[in-house]
């Protein structure tokens, strides 16, 4: 099964754009990216990485990278449930405390952390 990276992180895009299938949605915030991901799962893609992976809360970082299957199949009901729960969690965190307007150095740190999380998955899958 081949995979697609779904991201709003320019570091992930730059590193993998020529190596893997990519959907780059720079204009989307964290919550919008999860909603876009939900739509892709409803189209028949399988969710391959958890949308809330890592220890950073969804209201802290604006960046998220997730992997889905390239092939479409029957509805991934567990994937839909995971994404829906992730959306609700992100909304709750945003309501409690919205994402700050971070300075560039902090945004850079979040981009690096998000890249590192997906690099670990890609390395385990044998991609380079």
């Amino acid at each position: 099964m081949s995979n697609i990276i779904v991201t709003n992180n320019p570091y992930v895009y730059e590193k993998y754009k020529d190596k893997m299938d990519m959907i780059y949605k720079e204009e989307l915030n964290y919550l919008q990216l999860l909603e876009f991901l939900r739509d892709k799962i409803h189209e028949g893609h399988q969710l391959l990485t958890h949308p809330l992976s890592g220890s950073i809360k969804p209201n802290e970082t604006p960046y998220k990278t997730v992997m889905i299957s390239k092939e479409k199949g029957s509805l991934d009901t567990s994937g839909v449930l995971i994404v829906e729960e992730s959306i609700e969690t992100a909304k709750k965190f945003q309501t409690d405390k919205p994402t700050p307007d971070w300075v560039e150095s902090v945004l850079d740190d979040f981009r690096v952390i998000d890249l590192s999380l997906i690099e670990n998955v890609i390395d385990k899958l044998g991609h380079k």
Side-chain angles (χ1 to χ4, degrees):
M1 180 186 297
S2 54
N3 309 318
I4 300 172
I5 296 172
V6 180
T7 189
N8 64 351
N9 183 343
Y11 289 8
V12 173
Y13 174 73
E14 285 303 319
K15 179 160 186 176
Y16 292 107
K17 68 181 180 183
D18 298 324
K19 299 174 184 172
M20 296 185 69
D21 288 316
M22 173 92 49
I23 299 174
Y24 180 47
K25 293 291 192 178
E26 177 183 30
E27 71 282 4
L28 300 183
N29 65 30
Y30 192 107
L31 183 57
Q32 291 167 330
L33 189 86
L34 293 180
E35 291 167 342
F36 176 83
L37 177 65
R38 176 191 57 205
D39 295 346
K40 296 312 250 179
I41 303 302
H42 276 287
E43 290 173 9
H45 296 278
Q46 303 294 301
L47 180 65
L48 301 177
T49 60
H50 198 289
L52 297 180
S53 62
S55 60
I56 298 174
K57 294 181 181 96
N59 64 329
E60 293 175 335
T61 180
Y63 301 105
K64 191 67 212 166
T65 300
V66 183
M67 194 173 289
I68 60 174
S69 68
K70 184 174 182 179
E71 294 80 21
K72 294 180 185 178
S74 59
L75 182 64
D76 177 9
T77 53
S78 65
V80 169
L81 183 61
I82 289 168
V83 173
E84 289 290 355
E85 289 173 352
S86 299
I87 289 169
E88 289 309 310
T89 298
K91 284 180 179 177
K92 177 187 174 297
F93 275 99
Q94 284 292 338
T95 299
D96 292 346
K97 185 177 180 190
T99 304
D101 189 13
W102 296 113
V103 297
E104 183 59 32
S105 62
V106 174
L107 290 173
D108 184 65
D109 288 343
F110 284 131
R111 288 187 288 261
V112 169
I113 292 166
D114 182 62
L115 173 61
S116 176
L117 289 170
I118 201 67
E119 281 174 335
N120 289 329
V121 171
I122 291 168
D123 289 347
K124 287 180 181 172
L125 293 174
H127 296 286
K128 294 296 175 198

